[in-house]
Amino acid sequence: VKLLVPLKDDHAFTRLVDCFDFCKNWHQLMAKPASGRELDLTALNGLRAVSMFWVILGHTLSYIIWIGGIAYPARLITPNNMNMVLKNWFISIYAGGFFAVDTFFFLSGLLVAFIASREIAKAKWRRPVTARSEMFFWAAYVVNRFLRLLPTFAAVLFFFWKIAPSLSSSPIWKLNWDQHSKDCSKYWWSDLFFLNNFFPVGNPADGLAPTTCVGGTGYLA
């Protein structure tokens, strides 16, 4: 592109094209971390991106199968059709999408432990370690995390509860979102205050908890 359109290196279009320059991006990705850094965690960004695309792929195919099952149930339950699908090698990528969720647990735990250990080391340099200082540190840590997550999570909860149900209209849409809004009216406080791992209590028969307002947020609690 630079050969066809002679532009200066600081031109906006040149900088935009450079974003897709494989050679330049490859050298930047493969560059060694700068000396003096305590720990380089930039590789986690790649793991997060791959996991995100994996989760999106799994949900996309799940919805296709779910909608296809409603429209053409006979096609899904026919053994011949199912055998043809399951024999394809790429189905294992979709079926293994459950493990992509585990990577987010790993990332969350690693980053929380890393940040907490770094803050503990800083606190030891500032004051002697006592039972009182330890209690104050962990109380402040929990309050800080709660206040950091609360505004964004409250906006997401409000969107799921009040806005998303009005974005479309169909029999299936209304059926699903009516139940969802009902659950939000009952358990919004459980999600908002990150108690959804403890309440509501699940059914002992199947071990599953009732649907709360925003699904999939148990890892935040």
Side-chain angles (χ1 to χ4, degrees):
V1 176
K2 292 181 180 179
L3 295 176
L4 298 177
V5 184
L7 296 172
K8 296 181 179 180
D9 290 339
D10 60 347
H11 194 276
F13 182 74
T14 304
R15 295 198 303 270
L16 177 63
V17 173
D18 285 342
C19 294
F20 302 92
D21 188 337
F22 178 79
C23 294
K24 181 178 293 186
N25 291 330
W26 178 260
H27 289 305
Q28 186 173 356
L29 289 172
M30 295 296 107
K32 295 181 179 179
S35 59
R37 295 184 61 177
E38 53 182 350
L39 185 63
D40 184 64
L41 298 176
T42 54
L44 298 181
N45 294 327
L47 180 60
R48 185 185 295 111
V50 172
S51 300
M52 180 183 66
F53 283 116
W54 201 1
V55 170
I56 293 173
L57 173 67
H59 281 81
T60 302
L61 294 179
S62 296
Y63 274 103
I64 292 175
I65 293 174
W66 180 70
I67 294 173
I70 293 176
Y72 308 103
R75 296 181 61 183
L76 288 181
I77 62 176
T78 302
N80 186 40
N81 290 341
M82 291 303 296
N83 289 333
M84 290 174 59
V85 171
L86 295 177
K87 286 180 179 178
N88 292 316
W89 64 268
F90 52 82
I91 294 300
S92 60
I93 301 176
Y94 159 68
F98 292 101
F99 298 105
V101 180
D102 294 344
T103 62
F104 289 109
F105 290 118
F106 165 74
L107 291 172
S108 300
L110 176 64
L111 293 175
V112 167
F114 172 71
I115 295 173
S117 62
R118 186 173 57 182
E119 294 300 321
I120 291 172
K122 291 180 180 178
K124 288 181 178 180
W125 283 101
R126 291 194 297 263
R127 62 177 69 89
V129 178
T130 62
R132 183 178 180 180
S133 65
E134 285 291 301
M135 292 176 61
F136 177 79
F137 172 82
W138 288 111
Y141 182 84
V142 172
V143 171
N144 177 70
R145 186 175 187 275
F146 176 77
L147 295 178
R148 180 169 55 86
L149 295 176
L150 183 62
T152 303
F153 186 66
V156 172
L157 189 149
F158 179 78
F159 175 84
F160 269 79
W161 186 3
K162 297 296 184 181
I163 299 178
S166 61
L167 295 180
S168 184
S169 177
S170 71
I172 296 179
W173 182 276
K174 188 175 186 304
L175 178 65
N176 289 330
W177 282 104
D178 282 352
Q179 182 61 42
H180 191 273
S181 298
K182 183 180 178 181
D183 293 331
C184 281
S185 300
K186 294 171 60 178
Y187 302 121
W188 64 268
W189 57 270
S190 179
D191 281 14
L192 186 64
F193 295 105
F194 307 107
L195 300 174
N196 44 334
N197 282 341
F198 307 98
F199 190 87
V201 179
N203 183 0
D206 54 20
L208 299 177
T211 303
T212 55
C213 189
V214 184
T217 57
Y219 69 95
L220 292 175

